[in-house]
Coordinates of all heavy atoms in Angstrom, one line a residue:
L11 N 0.8 -1.2 0.0 CA 0.0 0.0 0.0 C 0.8 1.3 0.0 O 0.3 2.4 -0.1 CB -0.9 0.0 1.2 CG -2.0 -1.1 1.3 CD1 -2.8 -1.0 2.6 CD2 -2.9 -1.0 0.1
A12 N 2.2 1.1 0.1 CA 3.1 2.3 0.2 C 3.2 2.9 -1.2 O 3.1 2.2 -2.2 CB 4.4 1.9 0.7
T13 N 3.4 4.2 -1.3 CA 3.6 4.9 -2.5 C 5.0 5.6 -2.5 O 5.6 5.8 -1.5 CB 2.5 6.0 -2.7 OG1 2.6 6.9 -1.6 CG2 1.1 5.4 -2.8
P14 N 5.5 5.9 -3.7 CA 6.8 6.6 -3.7 C 6.7 8.0 -3.1 O 5.7 8.6 -3.1 CB 7.1 6.7 -5.2 CG 6.3 5.7 -5.9 CD 5.1 5.5 -5.0
K15 N 7.8 8.4 -2.5 CA 7.8 9.8 -1.9 C 7.7 10.8 -3.0 O 8.1 10.7 -4.1 CB 9.2 10.0 -1.2 CG 9.3 9.3 0.1 CD 10.6 9.8 0.8 CE 10.7 9.2 2.2 NZ 12.0 9.6 2.8
R16 N 7.0 11.9 -2.6 CA 6.9 13.0 -3.5 C 8.2 13.8 -3.6 O 8.8 14.0 -2.6 CB 5.7 13.9 -3.1 CG 4.4 13.2 -3.1 CD 3.3 14.2 -2.8 NE 3.5 14.9 -1.6 CZ 2.8 15.9 -1.2 NH1 1.8 16.4 -1.9 NH2 3.0 16.5 0.0
I17 N 8.5 14.3 -4.8 CA 9.7 15.0 -5.0 C 9.4 16.5 -5.1 O 8.5 16.9 -5.9 CB 10.5 14.5 -6.2 CG1 10.9 13.1 -6.1 CG2 11.7 15.4 -6.5 CD1 11.4 12.4 -7.3
P18 N 10.0 17.4 -4.2 CA 9.6 18.8 -4.3 C 10.1 19.4 -5.6 O 11.1 19.0 -6.2 CB 10.4 19.4 -3.1 CG 11.5 18.5 -2.8 CD 11.0 17.1 -3.2
T19 N 9.4 20.4 -6.1 CA 9.8 21.1 -7.3 C 10.9 22.1 -7.0 O 11.2 22.3 -5.9 CB 8.6 21.9 -7.9 OG1 8.2 22.9 -6.9 CG2 7.4 20.9 -8.2
L20 N 11.5 22.6 -8.1 CA 12.6 23.5 -7.9 C 12.1 24.8 -7.2 O 12.8 25.4 -6.4 CB 13.2 23.9 -9.2 CG 14.0 22.7 -9.8 CD1 14.5 23.2 -11.2 CD2 15.2 22.3 -9.0
A21 N 10.9 25.2 -7.5 CA 10.3 26.4 -6.8 C 10.1 26.2 -5.3 O 10.4 27.1 -4.5 CB 9.0 26.8 -7.5
Q22 N 9.7 25.0 -4.9 CA 9.5 24.7 -3.5 C 10.9 24.6 -2.8 O 11.0 25.1 -1.7 CB 8.8 23.3 -3.4 CG 7.4 23.4 -3.7 CD 6.7 22.0 -3.8 OE1 7.4 21.0 -4.0 NE2 5.4 22.0 -3.6
E23 N 11.9 24.1 -3.5 CA 13.2 24.0 -2.9 C 13.8 25.4 -2.7 O 14.4 25.7 -1.7 CB 14.2 23.1 -3.7 CG 13.9 21.7 -3.6 CD 14.9 20.8 -4.3 OE1 15.9 21.4 -4.9 OE2 14.7 19.6 -4.4
L24 N 13.6 26.3 -3.7 CA 14.1 27.7 -3.6 C 13.4 28.4 -2.5 O 14.0 29.2 -1.7 CB 13.8 28.4 -4.9 CG 14.3 29.8 -5.0 CD1 15.8 29.9 -4.9 CD2 13.9 30.5 -6.3
A25 N 12.1 28.2 -2.3 CA 11.3 28.8 -1.2 C 11.8 28.3 0.1 O 12.0 29.2 1.1 CB 9.8 28.5 -1.3
L26 N 12.2 27.1 0.3 CA 12.7 26.6 1.5 C 14.1 27.1 1.8 O 14.4 27.5 2.9 CB 12.8 25.0 1.5 CG 11.4 24.3 1.6 CD1 11.6 22.8 1.5 CD2 10.8 24.6 3.0
D27 N 14.9 27.3 0.7 CA 16.2 27.9 0.9 C 16.2 29.3 1.4 O 16.9 29.8 2.2 CB 17.0 27.8 -0.4 CG 17.5 26.3 -0.7 OD1 17.5 25.5 0.2 OD2 17.8 26.1 -1.9
R28 N 15.2 30.1 0.8 CA 15.1 31.5 1.2 C 14.5 31.6 2.6 O 14.9 32.5 3.4 CB 14.1 32.2 0.2 CG 14.8 32.4 -1.1 CD 13.9 33.2 -2.0 NE 14.5 33.6 -3.2 CZ 13.9 34.0 -4.3 NH1 12.6 34.1 -4.3 NH2 14.6 34.2 -5.4
A29 N 13.6 30.7 3.0 CA 13.1 30.7 4.4 C 14.2 30.4 5.4 O 14.3 31.0 6.4 CB 12.0 29.7 4.5
M30 N 15.1 29.4 5.1 CA 16.2 29.1 6.0 C 17.2 30.3 6.0 O 17.8 30.5 7.0 CB 16.9 27.8 5.6 CG 16.0 26.6 5.8 SD 15.5 26.5 7.5 CE 17.0 26.2 8.4
A31 N 17.4 30.9 4.9 CA 18.3 32.1 4.9 C 17.8 33.2 5.7 O 18.5 33.9 6.4 CB 18.5 32.6 3.4
A32 N 16.5 33.4 5.7 CA 15.9 34.4 6.6 C 16.0 34.1 8.0 O 16.1 35.0 8.9 CB 14.4 34.6 6.2
R33 N 16.0 32.8 8.4 CA 16.1 32.4 9.8 C 17.5 32.6 10.3 O 17.7 32.7 11.5 CB 15.7 31.0 10.0 CG 14.2 30.8 9.8 CD 13.8 29.3 10.1 NE 14.1 29.0 11.4 CZ 14.0 27.7 11.9 NH1 13.8 26.7 11.1 NH2 14.2 27.4 13.2
S34 N 18.5 32.6 9.4 CA 19.9 32.7 9.9 C 20.5 34.1 9.6 O 21.7 34.3 9.8 CB 20.7 31.6 9.2 OG 20.7 31.8 7.8
T35 N 19.7 35.1 9.2 CA 20.1 36.4 8.9 C 19.6 37.3 10.0 O 18.4 37.3 10.3 CB 19.7 36.9 7.5 OG1 20.1 36.0 6.6 CG2 20.2 38.2 7.2
C36 N 20.4 38.2 10.6 CA 20.0 39.1 11.6 C 19.3 40.3 11.0 O 19.6 40.8 9.9 CB 21.3 39.6 12.3 SG 20.9 40.8 13.6
S37 N 18.2 40.7 11.6 CA 17.4 41.8 11.1 C 18.0 43.1 11.3 O 17.7 44.1 10.6 CB 16.0 41.7 11.7 OG 16.1 41.8 13.1
R38 N 18.9 43.3 12.3 CA 19.5 44.6 12.6 C 20.7 44.8 11.8 O 20.9 45.9 11.2 CB 19.9 44.6 14.1 CG 18.7 44.8 15.0 CD 19.1 45.1 16.4 NE 18.1 45.0 17.3 CZ 18.2 45.0 18.6 NH1 19.5 45.1 19.1 NH2 17.2 44.9 19.4
C39 N 21.7 43.8 11.8 CA 23.0 44.1 11.2 C 23.1 43.4 9.8 O 24.1 43.5 9.1 CB 24.1 43.6 12.1 SG 24.1 41.9 12.4
S40 N 22.1 42.6 9.4 CA 22.1 41.8 8.1 C 23.3 40.8 8.0 O 23.6 40.5 6.9 CB 22.1 42.8 7.0 OG 21.0 43.6 7.0
R41 N 23.9 40.4 9.1 CA 24.9 39.4 9.0 C 24.2 38.0 9.0 O 23.2 37.8 9.6 CB 25.8 39.5 10.2 CG 26.8 40.6 10.1 CD 27.7 40.6 11.3 NE 27.0 41.2 12.4 CZ 27.6 42.0 13.3 NH1 28.9 42.2 13.3 NH2 27.0 42.5 14.3
R42 N 24.8 37.1 8.3 CA 24.3 35.7 8.1 C 25.1 34.8 8.9 O 26.4 34.8 8.9 CB 24.2 35.3 6.7 CG 23.5 34.0 6.5 CD 22.7 34.0 5.2 NE 22.2 32.7 5.0 CZ 22.2 32.0 4.0 NH1 22.8 32.5 2.9 NH2 21.7 30.8 3.9
Y43 N 24.5 33.9 9.7 CA 25.2 33.0 10.6 C 25.0 31.5 10.1 O 24.2 31.3 9.3 CB 24.7 33.1 12.0 CG 25.1 34.5 12.7 CD1 24.3 35.6 12.4 CD2 26.2 34.6 13.4 CE1 24.7 36.8 13.0 CE2 26.6 35.8 14.0 CZ 25.8 36.9 13.8 OH 26.2 38.1 14.3
Y44 N 25.8 30.6 10.7 CA 25.7 29.2 10.4 C 24.6 28.5 11.2 O 24.4 27.3 11.0 CB 27.0 28.5 10.7 CG 28.1 28.7 9.7 CD1 29.2 29.5 9.9 CD2 28.0 28.1 8.5 CE1 30.1 29.7 9.0 CE2 29.0 28.3 7.5 CZ 30.0 29.1 7.8 OH 31.0 29.3 6.8
Y45 N 23.8 29.2 12.0 CA 22.8 28.6 12.8 C 21.6 29.5 12.7 O 21.6 30.6 12.3 CB 23.3 28.4 14.2 CG 23.8 29.6 14.9 CD1 22.9 30.4 15.6 CD2 25.1 30.0 14.8 CE1 23.3 31.6 16.2 CE2 25.5 31.2 15.4 CZ 24.7 32.0 16.1 OH 25.1 33.1 16.7
C46 N 20.4 28.9 13.1 CA 19.2 29.7 13.2 C 19.2 30.6 14.4 O 19.6 30.3 15.5 CB 18.0 28.8 13.2 SG 17.7 27.8 11.7
L47 N 18.8 31.9 14.1 CA 18.8 32.9 15.2 C 17.5 32.9 16.0 O 16.5 32.5 15.4 CB 19.0 34.3 14.6 CG 20.3 34.4 13.8 CD1 20.3 35.8 13.1 CD2 21.5 34.3 14.8
P48 N 17.6 33.3 17.2 CA 16.3 33.4 18.0 C 15.6 34.7 17.8 O 15.5 35.6 18.6 CB 16.8 33.3 19.5 CG 18.2 33.9 19.4 CD 18.7 33.5 18.0
L49 N 15.0 34.8 16.6 CA 14.4 36.0 16.1 C 13.1 36.3 16.8 O 12.7 37.4 17.0 CB 14.2 36.0 14.6 CG 15.5 35.9 13.8 CD1 15.2 35.8 12.3 CD2 16.4 37.1 14.1
H50 N 12.3 35.2 17.3 CA 11.1 35.4 17.9 C 11.3 35.9 19.4 O 10.5 36.7 19.9 CB 10.2 34.2 17.9 CG 9.7 33.9 16.6 ND1 8.7 34.6 16.0 CD2 10.0 32.9 15.7 CE1 8.4 34.1 14.8 NE2 9.1 33.1 14.6
T51 N 12.3 35.4 20.0 CA 12.5 35.7 21.5 C 13.4 36.9 21.6 O 13.0 37.8 22.4 CB 13.1 34.5 22.2 OG1 14.3 34.1 21.6 CG2 12.1 33.3 22.2
V52 N 14.5 37.0 21.0 CA 15.5 38.1 21.2 C 15.2 39.1 20.1 O 15.3 40.3 20.4 CB 16.9 37.5 21.1 CG1 17.9 38.6 21.3 CG2 17.1 36.5 22.2
G53 N 15.0 38.7 18.9 CA 14.7 39.7 17.8 C 15.9 40.0 17.0 O 15.8 40.6 15.9
S54 N 17.1 39.5 17.4 CA 18.3 39.8 16.6 C 19.4 38.8 17.0 O 19.1 37.9 17.8 CB 18.9 41.2 16.9 OG 19.2 41.3 18.2
C55 N 20.6 38.9 16.4 CA 21.7 38.0 16.8 C 22.2 38.4 18.2 O 21.9 39.5 18.7 CB 22.7 38.0 15.7 SG 23.5 39.6 15.5
D56 N 23.0 37.5 18.8 CA 23.5 37.7 20.1 C 24.4 38.9 20.1 O 24.4 39.7 21.1 CB 24.2 36.4 20.6 CG 24.4 36.5 22.1 OD1 23.5 36.9 22.8 OD2 25.6 36.1 22.5

């Protein structure tokens, strides 16, 4: 009853890449880090 996994389109992968880039970029200084920033709690990078 199992089916093959769905493969994301290039547009979906690009949207995910941009979302991850937004999570690792500081909103104040625009620096990009190797990890996700606590933007909801702190609002910026450390």
Side-chain angles (χ1 to χ4, degrees):
L11 296 178
T13 57
K15 281 187 178 179
R16 296 186 307 171
I17 300 171
T19 63
L20 291 176
Q22 289 172 334
E23 287 184 6
L24 182 63
L26 288 173
D27 289 341
R28 286 185 177 163
M30 290 305 294
R33 289 181 68 189
S34 62
T35 305
C36 178
S37 57
R38 287 190 193 170
C39 63
S40 299
R41 285 183 278 217
R42 187 143 175 229
Y43 291 85
Y44 280 108
Y45 55 89
C46 291
L47 298 173
L49 297 176
H50 287 289
T51 55
V52 179
S54 64
C55 63
D56 194 44

